[in-house]
């Protein structure tokens, strides 16, 4: 069963890495996602059967201290589908990367990270993870991206990037890694082989940037703050999308010229992004307005704006067949976390399920059918 | 809709997979070889290793590698992309080259870094002069030319075995008067110490107990006096203390009924007759004491319950309000950001007076200003990630009002806080505490902060008494910090560290200072440790458990603190505590509420000394989890003992003298 699941996801990911981008009209029947509930210390495994209900199949309690919230935040899937990875935000004081085996959902490895690690990226070869240490504690000091060897779970290095890095993502062939600097208004590129920072882009000035100084944030002109929260490379390998959480815009950046080439209006504080594997549809959670936006990538036209059942939309993943967007919604205070399945073509919510509080990190495990 | 296109897409998936597999197979890495396979070099030298990947057919695969060494961390500086490395410390290490391709294939090589020659061996010993017959153990510290301590076996010897001998553990015995040199040697280097062994002048020995009769848990000091033939005192001869126990109840496989340390400090766990011996070569004296049961147990009477059954309860604070009535606040954990105010003037009937919901999931801690007018609540899990603190006017606990919030650089969450002299000391969820001036509570502003200087430091809690802050810092233990009441010139704007102590285990979660009527100044340091039996992946079947205990540290001399005692409940872990009038009130999670007699000097494991005054476990069939004591924090107030229970709200009990007759 696991072999079959791994094959399906691997196929979809490999397809996404092919040079010629085209529609992948494969439709599956069942989809499994893991979603982290940050204020519940839980990760839920949910299954969606196309046209049916979204069902919580299992809830995995995370962390080591029953009486402390350890804040499960980011999730990532091993390309072969055999493991899933979770960042725990709170530690002593550093957070951790935890490696779980799928199916049994048992811990098989742990690596130390930095202060409040958030998003994880794994390149297609699956040998490494790059976890951004977001350090949400509020200190205006440059933080790091931790590189972890996933076989040994050894943290090889901490690469200094910027203040409050977030949105860790590799491009389709794993040759480049991107992350955003929420407090420095930068996009940072790391080479996938050397794992050194290769380029920085000031997302306000739209020009290459230097590394931020300790305690000195990039000062955006009034009304031009960006606060980028995510990075999503396009599968064509030529561009990347970055949401400005404070600018109500999604930036398209040309990777050759290393300049912003398009601004897509996205009112409502865009937060996390994803693209359908064929690169035709851009998905964005709009954290402030509790919606999911779906755009046509070529035209930049907003196709659908879908209200969520709860407030504070957080994560989004497109299913590898490009059919659905699966969205995590945090809620506020005592609200339960929510996971919603949206039909991308019609913009219709197909199903939803309640999980633990502050649903955030989300990763697709497998699809079958 | 469900199945129409199932078959063809499935085939397409497989076809794509097959294509990808075919393309990849030609370049799929089957093995990695690292060259050279072994390498030997000296500290300070550099070398480069290189890896080559091969497919199953033996063809070279062009692929990048990452080089690193797990066991060489701190000893080898490896360039992750070039394979160049520099040796910093001696030892044998493995360098791993990971092929950045599917399959996570890697190769390894072994580096042997020669240890630098040894530089010196330092010998240490316990105090005392060497008279004939005296035996003391020595320890050798081996240091190499890189100034690193080395684990190298040493060979012990003496220069004249008729004067003194030494065994392989460094235990040295003087046999006859004379000069003798003790040596510890390894790899051509030796450390030496020369003694003059002299005749043993002791002709008489006496030992005296500080009291002839005591109770279990009492620390009795035995003072030995060695005298020479002229009646003079020989005070530099090492004295060995021993114990002959005759407990009232003898059980097999039990802990020792009493103990005496090298300084003659004795404590008994069981009643009985105990004889302490004090020995020097050729002379022994003894003194006997009678130990009686401690008889401190009291009855616990349930007074009242303020139930909170829809959400878990965290901390509490009880105070006398400005109107003279008594009030309590209880916070909540992993819930909806609520806080509850109670009138507990009649603790038998707590009355909910008001409540507040803030944007948070956890309001972990709450404190009230000394004048009873301000309540400050910590926040975690705010929807906008701007947590910080909430300052509330609680002059009238029936109509509380938010005055202000403060979250600057406290966005990751405030877990604990303390109010002292118009300042809030807020512990963020990371590495420091911030000092926030609330003289004008509508305009709070940061005036100072404090952070330890150790690598990977973390802070969890803070408590302030008389202008001295006691912070709990997990692996770094407790830090004592002058914030205005010490002699180091500290202030809220400029906290100055006075002392620091890491207890055994290093899991310090809470600390409570106590100046005992004995003149001793103790700091009680509580662990927070996940219980080994707790399986976080079995939420529905495994109850919540915690482990850890309370360490008692004698801080009377802050320059030389000493961990002297512990309070360890075998089946439960410690959490928050309160101390008043020689009584420790301790929350022990699943072990309930414990009240401990901490009168007198403290030594050993207090749990086994008959010092427990009371144990109370609250069972609420309608709790968040039914009938599951999980005690969070206690506070004594006007004779009533209030405590918060994670699954059931706030309770109040009262202690009363035990009604059973004591023979």
């Amino acid at each position: 069963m696991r072999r079959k699941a791994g094959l399906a996801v691997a196929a979809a990911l490999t397809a996404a890495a092919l040079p010629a981008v085209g529609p992948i009209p494969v439709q599956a029947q069942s989809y499994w996602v893991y979603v982290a509930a940050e204020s519940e210390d839980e990760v839920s495994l949910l299954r969606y059967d196309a046209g049916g209900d979204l069902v919580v199949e299992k809830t995995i309690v995370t962390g080591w201290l029953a009486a402390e919230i350890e804040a499960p935040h980011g999730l990532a899937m091993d390309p072969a589908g055999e493991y899933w990875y979770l960042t725990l935000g709170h530690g002593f004081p550093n957070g951790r990367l935890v490696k779980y085996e799928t199916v049994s959902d048992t811990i098989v490895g742990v690596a130390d990270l930095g202060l409040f690690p958030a998003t994880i990226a794994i390149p297609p070869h699956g040998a490494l993870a790059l976890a951004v240490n977001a350090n949400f504690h509020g200190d205006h000091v440059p933080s790091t991206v931790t590189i972890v060897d996933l076989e040994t779970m050894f943290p090889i290095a901490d690469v200094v990037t910027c203040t409050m890095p977030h949105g860790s993502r590799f491009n389709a062939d794993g040759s480049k890694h991107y992350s955003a600097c929420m407090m420095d208004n930068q996009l940072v590129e790391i080479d996938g082989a050397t794992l050194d920072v290769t380029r920085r882009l000031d997302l306000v000035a739209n020009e290459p940037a230097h590394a931020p100084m300790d305690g000195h944030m990039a000062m955006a002109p009034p009304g031009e703050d960006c606060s980028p929260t995510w990075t999503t490379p396009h599968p064509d390998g030529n561009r990347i999308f970055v949401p400005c959480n404070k600018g109500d815009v999604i930036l398209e950046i040309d990777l050759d010229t290393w300049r912003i080439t398009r601004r897509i209006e996205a009112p409502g504080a865009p937060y996390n992004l994803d693209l359908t594997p064929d690169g035709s549809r851009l998905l964005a959670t709009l954290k402030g307005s509790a919606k999911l936006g779906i755009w046509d990538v070529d035209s930049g036209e907003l196709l659908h704006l879908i209200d969520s059942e709860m407030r504070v939309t957080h994560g989004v993943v497109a299913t590898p067949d490009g059919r659905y967007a699966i969205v995590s919604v945090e809620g506020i205070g005592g609200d339960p976390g929510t996971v919603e399945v949206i039909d991308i073509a019609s913009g219709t919510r197909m199903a939803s399920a309640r999980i633990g509080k502050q649903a955030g990190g989300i990763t697709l495990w497998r699809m079958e059918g | 809709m469900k199945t129409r296109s199932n078959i063809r897409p499935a085939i397409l998936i497989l076809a794509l997979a097959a294509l990808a597999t075919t393309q990849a197979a030609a370049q799929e890495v089957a093995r990695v070889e690292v060259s050279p396979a072994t390498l030997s070099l000296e500290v300070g030298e550099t070398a480069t290793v290189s890896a080559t990947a091969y497919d199953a057919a033996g063809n070279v695969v062009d692929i990048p590698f990452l080089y690193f060494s797990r066991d060489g961390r701190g000893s080898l500086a490896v360039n992750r992309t070039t394979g160049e490395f520099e040796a910093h410390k001696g030892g044998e290490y493995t360098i791993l080259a990971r092929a950045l391709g599917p399959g996570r294939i890697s190769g390894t090589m072994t580096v042997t870094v020669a240890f630098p020659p040894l530089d010196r061996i330092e010998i240490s010993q316990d105090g005392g002069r060497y008279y004939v017959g005296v035996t003391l153990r020595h320890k050798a510290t081996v240091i190499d030319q890189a100034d690193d301590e080395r684990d190298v076996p040493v060979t012990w010897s003496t220069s004249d075995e008729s004067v003194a001998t030494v065994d392989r553990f460094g235990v040295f015995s003087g046999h006859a008067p004379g000069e003798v040199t003790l040596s510890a040697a390894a790899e051509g280097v030796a450390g030496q110490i020369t003694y003059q062994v002299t005749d043993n002048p002791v002709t008489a020995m006496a030992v005296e107990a500080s009291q002839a009769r005591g109770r279990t848990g009492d620390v009795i000091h035995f003072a030995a006096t060695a005298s020479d033939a002229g009646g003079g005192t020989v005070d530099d001869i090492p004295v060995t203390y021993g114990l002959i126990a005759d407990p009232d109840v003898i059980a097999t496989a039990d802990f020792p009924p009493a103990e005496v340390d090298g300084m003659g400090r004795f404590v008994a766990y069981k009643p009985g007759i105990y004889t302490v011996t004090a020995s020097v070569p050729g002379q022994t004296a003894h003194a006997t004491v009678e130990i009686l049961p401690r008889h401190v147990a009291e009855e616990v009477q349930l007074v009242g319950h303020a139930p909170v059954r829809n959400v878990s309860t965290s901390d509490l604070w009880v105070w006398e309000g400005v109107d003279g009535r008594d009030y309590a606040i209880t916070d909540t954990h992993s819930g909806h950001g609520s806080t509850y105010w109670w009138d507990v003037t009649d603790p038998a009937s707590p009355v909910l007076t008001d409540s507040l919901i803030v944007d948070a999931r956890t309001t972990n801690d709450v404190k009230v200003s000394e004048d009873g007018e301000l309540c400050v609540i910590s926040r975690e899990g705010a929807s906008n990630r701007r947590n910080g603190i909430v300052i509330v006017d609680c002059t009238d606990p029936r109509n509380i009002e938010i005055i202000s919030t403060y979250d600057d650089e406290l966005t990751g969450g405030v877990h604990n806080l303390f109010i002292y002299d118009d300042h809030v000391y807020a512990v963020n969820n990371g590495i420091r505490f911030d000092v926030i001036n609330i003289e004008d509570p509508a305009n709070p502003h940061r005036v100072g902060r404090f952070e330890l200087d150790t690598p990977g430091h973390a802070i969890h809690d803070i408590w302030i008494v008389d202008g001295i802050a006691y912070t709990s810092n997990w692996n770094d233990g407790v830090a004592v910090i002058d914030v205005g009441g010490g002699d180091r010139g500290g202030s809220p704007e400029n906290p100055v560290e006075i002392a620091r102590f890491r207890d055994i285990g290093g899991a310090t979660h809470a600390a409570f200072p106590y100046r005992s009527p004995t003149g001793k100044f103790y700091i009680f340091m509580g662990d927070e440790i996940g219980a080994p039996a707790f399986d976080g992946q079995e939420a529905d079947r495994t109850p919540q458990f915690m482990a850890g205990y309370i360490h008692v540290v004698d801080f009377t001399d802050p320059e030389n603190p000493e961990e002297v005692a512990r309070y360890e409940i075998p089946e439960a872990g410690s959490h928050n505590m309160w101390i008043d009038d020689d009584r420790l009130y301790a929350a022990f999670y699943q072990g309930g509420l414990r009240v401990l007699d901490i009168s007198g000097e403290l030594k050993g494991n207090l749990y086994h000394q008959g010092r427990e005054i009371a144990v109370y476990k609250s069972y609420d069939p309608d709790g968040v989890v039914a009938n599951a004591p999980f005690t969070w924090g206690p506070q004594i107030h006007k004779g009533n003992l209030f405590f918060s229970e994670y699954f059931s709200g706030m309770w109040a009990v009262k202690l009363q003298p035990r009604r059973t007759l004591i023979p």
Side-chain angles (χ1 to χ4, degrees):
Chain A
M1 187 172 177
R2 189 194 307 164
R3 179 186 296 260
K4 183 179 177 184
L7 183 63
V9 173
L13 292 169
T14 306
L18 294 174
V21 176
I24 305 174
V26 180
Q27 292 192 347
Q29 181 60 41
S30 298
Y31 309 82
W32 281 261
V33 290
Y34 287 94
V35 184
E38 187 173 325
S39 286
E40 203 78 56
D41 274 4
E42 290 178 355
V43 170
S44 294
L45 174 63
L46 301 99
R47 187 191 77 245
Y48 175 63
D49 293 329
D53 293 331
L54 179 64
V55 178
V56 178
E57 288 211 320
K58 187 192 285 188
T59 299
I60 302 111
V61 175
T62 63
W64 278 262
L65 291 175
E68 302 278 355
I69 291 293
E70 293 171 69
H73 186 97
L75 281 169
M77 181 59 60
D78 164 42
E82 294 185 356
Y83 305 102
W84 55 278
Y85 300 89
L86 170 72
T87 52
L88 291 178
H90 293 308
F92 304 99
N94 291 334
R96 295 169 169 175
L97 179 69
V98 189
K99 179 181 182 179
Y100 289 82
E101 190 177 61
T102 52
V103 182
S104 69
D105 297 312
T106 54
I107 295 171
V108 293
V110 179
D112 291 332
L113 300 175
L115 281 171
F116 211 126
T119 329
I120 314 159
I122 299 174
H125 56 64
L128 302 171
L130 269 65
V132 292
N133 298 305
N135 188 3
F136 289 130
H137 301 296
D139 296 331
H140 297 299
V141 293
S143 189
T144 58
V145 175
T146 301
I147 301 162
V148 180
D149 178 70
L150 292 178
E151 186 68 20
T152 60
M153 291 300 282
F154 180 71
I156 298 171
D158 289 313
V159 178
V160 177
T161 56
C162 57
T163 310
M164 205 177 284
H166 204 253
S168 174
R169 283 293 179 265
F170 274 96
N171 64 357
D173 64 7
S175 61
K176 301 292 181 187
H177 172 271
Y178 298 94
S179 58
C181 309
M182 292 176 63
M183 306 301 283
D184 293 321
N185 291 324
Q186 285 191 4
L187 171 67
V188 177
E189 180 185 79
I190 292 175
D191 185 87
T194 66
L195 299 168
D196 292 322
V197 173
T198 48
R199 291 189 292 184
R200 297 170 180 273
L201 180 66
D202 185 323
L203 296 171
V204 174
N206 193 17
E207 58 187 25
H210 298 291
M213 301 283 286
D214 190 350
H216 293 79
M217 290 186 298
M219 297 304 291
E224 295 186 25
D225 202 359
C226 174
S227 191
T229 50
W230 202 256
T231 63
T232 293
H234 193 277
D236 67 10
N238 298 323
R239 48 195 164 147
I240 186 169
F241 293 90
V242 176
C244 287
N245 187 251
K246 288 185 178 173
D248 285 349
V249 68
I250 298 170
L251 307 176
E252 182 184 75
I253 292 136
D254 185 288
L255 293 174
D256 288 333
T257 63
W258 199 235
R259 289 291 189 280
I260 298 166
T261 51
R262 188 161 54 140
R263 297 171 186 273
I264 300 171
E265 295 300 316
Y271 189 61
N272 284 187
L273 306 179
D274 203 7
L275 287 157
T276 52
D278 65 1
S280 67
R281 296 290 181 267
L282 174 64
L283 318 172
T285 52
L286 301 168
K287 197 170 186 175
S289 58
K291 299 177 193 296
L292 175 73
I294 302 175
W295 286 262
D296 179 276
V297 170
D298 287 341
S299 67
E301 179 188 358
L302 177 63
L303 301 175
H304 304 289
L305 204 54
I306 305 106
D307 287 322
S308 290
E309 293 177 346
M310 290 284 178
R311 295 166 288 183
V312 192
T313 46
H314 184 117
V316 57
V317 290
T319 56
D321 55 7
R323 191 177 180 188
Y324 298 110
I326 305 180
V327 182
S328 62
V329 189
E330 293 182 10
I332 292 178
D335 293 343
T338 303
V339 182
E340 300 179 358
V341 179
I342 309 296
D343 181 90
I344 292 174
S346 66
T348 305
R349 181 169 50 246
M350 306 300 291
S352 66
R354 301 286 189 261
I355 63 168
K357 289 183 283 295
Q358 202 176 4
I362 182 168
T363 190
L364 189 109
W365 174 25
R366 67 183 192 188
M367 63 179 192
E368 286 182 354
Chain B
M1 181 173 172
K2 269 186 170 180
T3 57
R4 194 161 56 110
S5 59
N6 261 1
I7 296 175
R8 284 183 182 173
I11 291 172
L12 180 56
I13 283 181
L14 294 173
L16 283 169
L19 173 64
T21 303
T22 303
Q23 290 175 334
Q27 296 187 345
E28 192 167 298
V29 176
R31 63 187 172 87
V32 169
E33 289 187 3
V34 184
S35 178
T38 61
L39 193 60
S40 297
L41 68 169
E42 308 282 330
V43 168
E45 289 187 335
T46 60
T48 301
V49 297
S50 63
T52 307
Y54 299 92
D55 65 15
N59 302 308
V60 173
V61 179
D62 184 16
I63 197 167
F65 292 92
L66 273 186
Y67 300 89
F68 60 93
S69 175
R70 285 200 294 172
D71 54 7
R73 193 173 204 175
S75 301
L76 294 181
V78 182
N79 184 306
R80 63 177 179 266
T81 53
T82 66
E84 185 179 7
F85 66 94
E86 181 174 353
H88 290 172
K89 287 189 177 181
E92 186 171 291
Y93 310 106
T94 298
I95 292 180
L96 187 148
R98 170 80 61 210
L100 294 183
R104 298 174 181 165
I105 308 297
S106 63
T108 60
M109 61 86 61
T110 303
V111 178
T112 303
V113 181
F115 284 103
L118 297 185
D119 180 70
R120 63 192 185 277
I121 297 175
E122 297 173 351
I123 299 175
S124 62
Q125 58 115 319
D126 295 334
R129 182 173 171 183
Y130 276 94
Y131 295 102
V132 171
V134 167
T135 296
L136 284 175
R137 186 178 178 194
H138 293 69
K139 293 178 182 174
T141 303
V142 182
I143 299 165
D144 66 21
Q145 290 180 2
D147 219 26
D148 290 324
E149 194 171 318
R150 295 272 300 281
D151 184 15
V152 175
V154 299
T155 302
W156 294 94
S157 64
T158 58
S159 59
D160 186 347
E161 294 197 345
S162 67
V163 176
T165 56
V166 63
D167 68 11
R168 63 194 176 102
F169 302 110
V171 178
F172 176 96
S173 300
H175 302 306
E179 182 175 288
V180 64
T181 298
L182 172 68
S183 298
E187 299 179 8
V189 175
Q192 295 185 330
I193 188 167
T194 299
Y195 293 115
Q196 289 291 336
V197 179
T198 58
D199 279 323
N200 180 356
V202 178
T203 58
M205 191 72 188
V207 64
E208 194 172 331
S210 59
Q211 57 193 81
R213 175 184 283 182
R215 300 175 300 165
T216 55
D218 287 351
V219 178
I220 298 176
H221 291 254
F222 287 83
T225 304
S227 306
D228 60 21
T233 301
V234 182
D235 54 11
D236 57 359
I237 189 166
V239 176
T240 303
Y241 290 93
L243 183 63
I244 302 168
D246 185 12
D248 289 349
V249 177
I250 297 175
T252 57
D254 209 346
F255 52 86
E259 64 179 65
V260 62
D261 66 18
M263 299 171 68
R265 296 179 297 193
F266 165 93
V267 67
Y269 296 100
K270 291 183 180 298
I273 304 298
Y274 296 92
T275 299
V276 170
T277 61
S279 302
V280 298
Q283 299 289 334
T284 297
H286 59 82
T288 300
V289 293
E290 180 184 15
I291 300 299
L292 304 172
R294 198 165 184 87
H295 287 314
V296 295
E298 295 185 5
E299 301 284 348
V300 182
Q301 177 190 357
L302 174 62
V303 176
H305 180 199
V308 180
R309 290 164 169 153
N310 62 333
V311 64
S312 297
T313 296
S314 50
D315 222 334
L316 85 168
W317 193 262
V318 189
W319 84 107
E320 182 180 303
V322 296
D323 59 1
R325 298 183 68 80
D326 296 317
Y327 298 97
I329 313 177
T330 57
D331 272 340
T332 57
H333 195 276
S334 302
H336 45 263
S338 56
T339 301
Y340 300 103
W341 276 258
W342 310 84
D343 184 330
V344 294
T345 308
D346 176 7
S349 301
V351 176
L352 182 67
T353 59
D354 207 345
S355 62
L356 176 67
I357 292 181
V358 297
D359 183 4
R361 270 90 180 190
T362 294
T363 51
N364 187 69
D365 198 10
V366 61
K367 293 289 185 295
V368 180
S369 60
E370 296 93 324
D371 61 10
E373 295 183 356
L374 296 177
C375 300
V376 181
I377 300 165
S378 68
R379 287 202 301 178
E380 293 169 273
S383 65
N384 60 1
R385 292 194 182 278
R386 299 199 66 83
N387 288 289
I389 60 173
V390 180
I391 301 171
V392 177
D393 179 354
C394 53
T395 306
D396 177 4
R398 288 167 182 76
N399 295 288
I400 59 99
E401 296 282 349
I402 293 177
I403 300 173
S404 62
T405 61
Y406 186 83
D407 56 34
D408 182 49
E409 298 191 14
L410 294 172
T411 50
V414 173
H415 196 59
N416 284 298
L417 59 88
F418 204 87
I419 305 176
Y420 185 80
D421 196 19
D422 288 332
H423 292 81
V424 175
Y425 293 74
V427 171
N428 79 352
N429 274 337
I431 57 178
R432 62 162 201 274
F433 68 79
D434 285 14
V435 188
I436 300 154
N437 184 301
I438 56 169
E439 286 174 297
D440 176 4
N443 295 290
H445 57 281
R446 179 187 297 104
V447 296
R449 62 173 40 167
F450 181 85
E451 182 174 341
L452 294 180
D453 54 4
T454 53
H457 56 266
I459 182 171
H460 180 267
D461 201 358
I462 185 167
W463 199 266
I464 301 174
V465 176
D466 296 334
I468 307 291
Y470 303 86
T471 61
S472 302
N473 307 281
W474 298 116
N475 192 48
D476 284 309
V478 69
V480 181
I481 300 160
D482 179 1
V483 292
D487 58 1
R488 308 296 171 94
S491 66
E493 294 79 13
N494 179 39
V496 177
E497 183 172 344
I498 299 171
R500 198 184 307 179
F501 183 80
R502 181 187 186 278
D503 62 21
I504 299 166
T508 307
H509 160 278
F512 205 106
Y514 182 58
R515 196 167 296 282
S516 162
T518 62
K520 295 277 188 184
F521 178 61
Y522 292 111
I523 298 179
F524 289 70
M525 300 168 60
D527 292 331
E528 183 170 74
I529 299 173
F534 174 69
D535 181 354
Q537 299 177 68
E538 297 287 346
D540 296 332
R541 288 184 287 175
T542 307
Q544 289 176 296
F545 292 140
M546 295 297 286
Y549 60 88
I550 294 173
H551 307 246
V552 184
V553 180
D554 183 348
F555 244 91
T556 309
D557 176 4
E559 303 297 326
N560 296 289
E562 179 188 10
E563 186 164 347
V564 293
R566 71 181 192 269
Y567 180 38
E568 181 173 11
I569 311 299
E571 73 279 9
S574 61
H575 198 236
N576 292 346
M577 53 192 144
W578 193 277
I579 298 175
D580 185 57
D581 194 19
D582 271 348
R583 290 184 173 200
L584 167 70
Y585 303 93
F588 262 86
Y589 283 124
Q590 69 270 21
L593 176 70
R594 326 286 291 214
V595 183
L596 189 76
D597 170 18
I598 55 169
S599 62
E601 189 176 344
L602 303 175
K603 175 179 173 58
N605 189 349
L606 310 180
Y607 174 76
H608 291 298
Q609 297 175 356
R611 286 177 172 271
E612 282 204 319
I613 296 170
V615 176
Y616 187 80
K617 296 183 181 181
S618 54
Y619 293 88
D620 182 353
D622 299 318
V624 175
V625 175
N627 297 316
F630 206 63
T631 310
W632 193 269
Q635 184 182 343
I636 193 84
H637 181 76
K638 295 185 178 178
N640 292 297
L641 177 54
F642 294 85
F643 59 100
S644 55
E645 276 288 341
Y646 191 69
F647 294 126
S648 58
M650 181 179 65
W651 298 66
V653 297
K654 204 173 184 67
L655 298 178
Q656 295 191 333
R658 198 165 191 172
R659 283 170 289 187
T660 51
L661 289 175
I662 297 172

